[in-house]
Amino acid sequence: MTGSMVLRTRGLTRQYGRDSGLVRAVDEIDLDVPAGQALAIMGPSGCGKSTLLHLLGGLQRPTDGQVWLADHRIDTMSERALARLRRDSVGFVFQSFHLMDELTAVENVELAALLAGQSPRRARKRAMYLLDRVGLADRARHLPAELSGGQRQRVAIARALSNDPLVVLADEPTGNLDSAATVEVLRLFDEIRAAGQTLVVVTHDARIAAVADRMISMRDGAFADDSPLAGAGMAGTGSGRGSGTAAGAAAGTVYGGRR
Amino acid sequence: MAGRLLLVCRLLVRDLRRRPTETVLLLAAIAAATGTLTLGLALNGIADRPYQRTRAATAGPDVVVEPPEVTGTQALTALAPLTTAPGVTGHSGPYPVAYLMLTARGKTVHAVVEGRDRAPATLDRPAVTGGTWVRPGGVVFERAFADALGVHTGDTVSVDGHSLRVDGTAVTAARAAYPRAGWRVPGTPFTDPGGLVWVDRGDIAALAGGSQSLSYTLNVKLADPAAHDAFGAVSSAALNTRSWQFIAEEDSALAKQARKTMLIGSWLLAALAVASVAGIVAGRVIGQRRRLGLLKAVGAGPAMVAAVHLAEYLVIGLAAAGIGLAAGWLAAPLLASPGGGFLGSVGAHPPALRTVVAATCFALVIAAAAALAPVVRAAITDTVHALADAASPPRRRGGRVRLSRRLPTALLIGVRINARRPRRARLAMVNTLITTTTLAAALMFQVQNRQETHIGPSELVNPDDERSYHAMLIVIVVLCVLALINAVVSTWSAVLDARHPLAVARTLGATPGQATAGLSAAQLLPAVPGVAAGIPAGIVLFLAASAGQIRYPPGVWWLATALGILLAVAALTAVPAIAAARRPVADTLRSTAS
Ligand SMILES: Nc1ncnc2c1ncn2[C@@H]1O[C@H](COP(=O)(O)OP(=O)(O)OP(=O)(O)O)[C@@H](O)[C@H]1O
Ligand SMILES: [Mg+2]
């Protein structure tokens, strides 16, 4: 898949309200995210970052413009098809975790796999593997209420990865976490990126932005700046739209050392 | 597939376990409605099916014939030709009958005394339900009559001064049950209320004071039981004939008033149950909205979301149907007795399929109706909204908010809580309206003259009234349970919904007492118009359902009822409100999202 675009938008627009109360939360955005790229989106509060992310993941429909995920045009898809797409190809991570309170950590992680129709045994195996990867194997049977904020977010990340999605979309994943927990989550994102997973992270945290291949600044619903990053010595460099390459596995070692 | 099924089941079980109180309340509300319906249906069959069963079990006659105006040998002569009349395929009797006075437990009442042989007859073999069949020197009571008098096997009663021991109780299909046994005023064709007893054929002449004063009754079987009218024409005009249809009709009249009470009651209860369920579901939706949004975010399609949601209500509905059916069926004998004039009265047999189906459908419809709104809403609201806020954002009623600024703190809080959720306030009003209406109608019922039936010189409680009274009691008990559920649920969802603003208010200096009073006030304010409208509505309802002279309770009673209901609402709502207000503010503020 290297080289092809995982996400593509053209003239993507989302408005709220009308007349004098009209807000163009996302304003004619053209975006190309190649496979394996880790993209950070930053910008002042209210500039439309969350809205953009929701549009990319098919949680919301645009007022105008087009979105492609892999080769599927998603802005015109039916709700059913969108749901299928979300569980097969998109992983969401939210600022406020959004775990199901009544399900244990491992049950939360296997949710998407079960929805996708996997057998309970396979779903459980994969969930345990992912929990192990995020360092929470020993907390698998705890309810979210019994986990710290950082642990909850790591469960949420494991859940986002459970169906091996094409792209992980994260909306201020460290917004509710303290710096120690943030470091943990950072490490996970770096691993995800290093493994070649496409990643779009909306964040205020410069440290998260620092692990990305590319950073976009937004202002008033539009891109103000779009720059490839050296990525703290990372191999992958996205040179603007459409030319990002997959992050090399070598990057993993750099961040592996940080731990 | 297995995975999805597992998921649906898991979410179902967890959600039910996570909200045990709501689940139980929902179960109770739907079960109450279903139970009332079952009871109503059971009462409909009360006279019907048991009469048929009794008739089959006792070889009930098609027609019973009596010459009302003659006694002794004259009567026997009048009956004799009938046994060989065309269309008659069998008979039993004629049996001697005397219309006497029976004294038991200090009451003297009319008794139809029938003389029978020890050997079973070909037609009308009364089925013994306790003790034994007649023996010389003994008497067997028709069961409903025994119930009304309170006599038991082994007691001693006196019939026109002769002491007899009670040998047993039995039921028959040849005469309507107490008090419609047809006690004949001597020398007239008129009948009075009375009960039936059987004695040994050899004893009856002595009891009646000579065989010449005995009447006779003949049980007849016809080739075509439907042709009893034609038979009536054949038999002479001086003969009194009672078809089995007529007797069945007499018996069914027994439960008529009770049925009417139940019918009106079950409408009121169904309305209240729907209000209950709506209230509970509205409370649940707050939690479920986010849950459904979350499911959608991880890729659950509309069908899956609906399945998760419906499964829950389906399970609750089915469980409630089971509970309601059982409860209604078990309560039915309470209304059926002392109509023990039948074999295997209501409740002794499993409910008819029709009843089961109707009750189950009813419960499922309530449950599905409850689930429908959230499911539709979940399907159409976009995921982002569902995730973003716990419930639909509160409405802002600027006018009320401004008005409330001039009120004392507690009222201010109350008015603002209701202004946030006008629909819940309306539900609270409907709840008190229905409750008050029913209680007002019950109060009207209570002050009417309870008729005691003259069964001879003594008065006995009329079983019809007794049944209506029981029906009323059941309706009121179920009503109170539902009203209680509604009040608590309504306050509790107000507590949950207003938790955050109240916590903020408390950080600004409102005391726990003011917060509690505010929550209570939020429930009390809409209750006032509910009570005010409910009392006249109850009176109108009673007037519409009854005839004859109506008595009204004094005005103070109404005032007391109104105040009592308002006090009960205040007390009921205070409990969850106090529980909520005692939680430390910081806890509430912290518990936002996970
Ligand atoms: N449901 C809505 N109705 C009306 N306006 C909305 C709605 N949701 C968002 N907006 C507006 O759209 C704009 C972009 O919102 P968005 O949530 O995307 O911002 P954001 O960049 O994520 O901000 P933050 O960093 O604070 O999360 C804001 O001006 C907001 O007021
Ligand atoms: Mg945002």
Side-chain angles (χ1 to χ4, degrees):
Chain A
M1 256 234 201
T2 313
S4 68
M5 295 299 151
V6 169
L7 276 170
R8 212 149 66 86
T9 75
R10 287 294 173 267
L12 188 63
T13 301
R14 169 74 202 211
Q15 303 176 347
Y16 292 111
R18 62 161 86 98
D19 301 335
S20 61
L22 183 104
V23 177
R24 296 173 86 89
V26 168
D27 197 1
E28 304 210 7
I29 280 183
D30 299 340
L31 173 68
D32 294 277
V33 183
Q37 187 171 66
L39 168 65
I41 300 177
M42 296 185 77
S45 178
C47 69
K49 305 180 297 290
S50 298
T51 308
L52 174 62
L53 208 66
H54 295 152
L55 292 172
L56 294 180
L59 281 185
Q60 258 179 339
R61 289 178 190 277
T63 320
D64 203 4
Q66 297 111 44
V67 188
W68 289 267
L69 179 65
D71 295 323
H72 305 289
R73 171 109 185 249
I74 66 170
D75 51 297
T76 50
M77 268 187 181
S78 75
E79 193 58 40
R80 260 182 77 139
L82 266 182
R84 196 171 316 128
L85 189 90
R86 276 200 298 268
R87 69 174 179 243
D88 294 338
S89 313
V90 183
F92 277 103
V93 180
F94 299 98
Q95 175 175 357
S96 49
F97 323 135
H98 287 321
L99 298 177
M100 287 219 166
D101 302 326
E102 69 267 38
L103 298 184
T104 61
V106 64
E107 286 167 350
N108 263 294
V109 174
E110 69 187 9
L111 199 60
L114 290 180
L115 281 173
Q118 272 185 28
S119 83
R121 266 190 49 199
R122 269 189 56 197
R124 177 56 59 99
K125 235 178 99 181
R126 168 103 181 131
M128 287 307 296
Y129 163 75
L130 286 167
L131 275 181
D132 191 38
R133 250 184 82 185
V134 301
L136 287 175
D138 56 333
R139 293 285 196 282
R141 277 167 221 295
H142 288 229
L143 290 173
E146 300 158 358
L147 299 174
S148 74
Q151 289 170 334
R152 284 183 214 177
Q153 195 58 299
R154 282 190 275 157
V155 173
I157 292 171
R159 181 179 66 186
L161 294 174
S162 86
N163 281 342
D164 213 358
L166 280 175
V167 58
V168 172
L169 303 173
D171 191 355
E172 302 190 28
T174 56
N176 276 347
L177 303 180
D178 65 9
S179 59
T182 300
V183 169
E184 276 295 303
V185 169
L186 269 175
R187 184 186 64 76
L188 277 176
F189 274 118
D190 194 40
E191 275 184 35
I192 294 168
R193 187 194 58 80
Q197 175 84 59
T198 313
L199 190 61
V200 178
V201 187
V202 163
T203 185
H204 285 299
D205 193 325
R207 283 175 295 175
I208 286 222
V211 305
D213 304 321
R214 170 184 175 195
M215 196 186 85
I216 290 176
S217 298
M218 273 184 81
R219 190 147 303 133
D220 294 334
F223 290 170
D225 184 37
D226 184 350
S227 51
L229 294 173
M234 282 191 297
T237 54
S239 57
R241 284 171 197 171
S243 56
T245 55
T253 56
V254 176
Y255 285 87
R258 200 192 226 186
R259 198 183 170 195
Chain B
M1 201 61 234
R4 276 180 219 162
L5 206 65
L6 172 80
L7 192 62
V8 170
C9 294
R10 179 184 290 163
L11 288 173
L12 171 97
V13 171
R14 294 295 164 79
D15 199 49
L16 292 183
R17 268 221 308 251
R18 213 161 77 96
R19 312 164 199 273
T21 326
E22 282 171 20
T23 305
V24 167
L25 290 178
L26 205 53
L27 213 58
I30 303 178
T34 318
T36 320
L37 180 80
T38 309
L39 205 52
L41 291 176
L43 277 187
N44 255 336
I46 201 171
D48 220 31
R49 300 206 314 137
Y51 180 82
Q52 293 300 347
R53 200 177 290 126
T54 306
R55 187 167 130 77
T58 63
D62 293 329
V63 178
V64 178
V65 192
E66 281 171 3
E69 274 148 39
V70 290
T71 55
T73 43
Q74 267 181 296
L76 286 170
T77 317
L79 288 171
L82 288 178
T83 58
T84 53
V88 172
T89 56
H91 71 276
S92 74
Y95 296 112
V97 174
Y99 303 99
L100 304 175
M101 291 297 179
L102 182 147
T103 307
R105 301 190 153 244
K107 302 225 172 193
T108 302
V109 295
H110 292 150
V112 177
V113 183
E114 189 172 320
R116 298 297 292 253
D117 308 307
R118 294 205 61 189
T122 48
L123 280 182
D124 185 28
R125 296 188 290 269
V128 175
T129 55
T132 63
W133 184 230
V134 289
R135 287 175 300 178
V139 60
V140 171
F141 274 77
E142 187 268 314
R143 186 165 66 179
F145 190 31
D147 281 350
L149 273 171
V151 301
H152 302 282
T153 305
D155 290 357
T156 304
V157 299
S158 93
V159 176
D160 269 19
H162 301 81
S163 272
L164 294 169
R165 84 182 166 269
V166 179
D167 281 339
T169 56
V171 296
T172 176
R175 263 178 207 276
Y178 166 83
R180 292 185 171 79
W183 192 84
R184 181 145 288 133
V185 182
T188 75
F190 305 118
T191 58
D192 261 5
L196 171 68
V197 297
W198 295 274
V199 298
D200 190 83
R201 196 202 274 262
D203 291 344
I204 192 166
L207 295 177
S211 58
Q212 261 320 307
S213 58
L214 288 174
S215 302
Y216 284 89
T217 181
L218 178 72
N219 302 311
V220 174
K221 187 158 189 60
L222 300 177
D224 177 13
H228 64 90
D229 287 339
F231 174 78
V234 170
S235 67
S236 86
L239 290 177
N240 187 336
T241 62
R242 292 194 308 271
S243 67
W244 68 266
Q245 292 95 331
F246 173 81
I247 300 167
E249 185 73 12
E250 285 266 276
D251 276 332
S252 80
L254 271 170
K256 210 165 168 185
Q257 185 63 37
R259 231 181 294 159
K260 198 156 145 193
T261 309
M262 280 311 287
L263 193 73
I264 296 175
S266 56
W267 280 117
L268 287 169
L269 289 181
L272 202 55
V274 168
S276 270
V277 172
I280 299 167
V281 168
R284 281 173 90 87
V285 164
I286 294 176
Q288 266 157 352
R289 233 173 96 85
R290 224 198 61 169
R291 198 170 111 102
L292 295 179
L294 221 147
L295 271 177
K296 285 176 85 176
V298 295
M304 183 70 186
V305 167
V308 166
H309 211 88
L310 283 176
E312 197 167 325
Y313 286 101
L314 213 68
V315 165
I316 294 181
L318 278 179
I323 296 172
L325 261 172
W329 203 250
L330 291 178
L334 202 67
L335 291 187
S337 77
F342 309 111
L343 258 194
S345 293
V346 187
H349 293 261
L353 187 66
R354 187 165 54 107
T355 310
V356 175
V357 170
T360 309
C361 288
F362 186 59
L364 288 183
V365 163
I366 295 184
L372 202 65
V375 167
V376 169
R377 220 175 296 146
I380 60 175
T381 44
D382 71 45
T383 316
V384 178
H385 273 179
L387 281 173
D389 60 343
S392 52
R395 305 225 202 127
R396 185 184 152 79
R397 297 274 172 103
R400 300 236 195 122
V401 172
R402 270 194 299 282
L403 174 100
S404 62
R405 285 169 57 199
R406 299 169 191 282
L407 299 172
T409 314
L411 276 181
L412 176 146
I413 293 174
V415 168
R416 289 193 179 180
I417 288 175
N418 283 343
R420 272 168 71 86
R421 303 273 178 222
R423 227 177 315 166
R424 189 176 48 224
R426 250 172 290 163
L427 217 55
M429 197 197 76
V430 169
N431 184 22
T432 34
L433 174 68
I434 299 174
T435 312
T436 313
T437 303
T438 317
L439 289 180
L443 189 62
M444 288 292 289
F445 179 88
Q446 195 57 39
V447 296
Q448 306 308 314
N449 257 341
R450 287 280 298 288
Q451 289 167 5
E452 299 244 283
T453 309
H454 284 268
I455 315 279
S458 298
E459 292 183 343
L460 282 183
V461 174
N462 186 336
D464 299 9
D465 278 351
E466 197 71 346
R467 271 195 204 92
S468 310
Y469 188 64
H470 283 160
M472 182 80 99
L473 271 184
I474 288 180
V475 168
I476 288 179
V477 167
V478 179
L479 178 97
C480 288
V481 170
L482 278 180
L484 195 131
I485 291 176
N486 281 357
V488 173
V489 164
S490 174
T491 318
W492 189 243
S493 45
V495 164
L496 289 183
D497 182 48
R499 203 162 42 169
H500 194 81
L502 275 183
V504 173
R506 283 181 57 198
T507 61
L508 299 178
T511 64
Q514 283 170 330
T516 309
L519 279 167
S520 262
Q523 304 303 308
L524 263 179
L525 288 173
V528 173
V531 169
I535 287 178
I539 297 176
V540 168
L541 186 70
F542 182 84
L543 293 182
S546 50
Q549 191 110 37
I550 305 286
R551 292 218 248 162
Y552 291 90
V556 202
W557 288 29
W558 293 122
L559 201 64
T561 309
L563 288 179
I565 293 173
L566 290 179
L567 262 176
V569 170
L572 279 174
T573 57
V575 178
I578 289 171
R582 281 178 57 162
R583 255 185 104 189
V585 175
D587 274 11
T588 311
L589 286 178
R590 215 180 305 127
S591 68
T592 37
S594 61

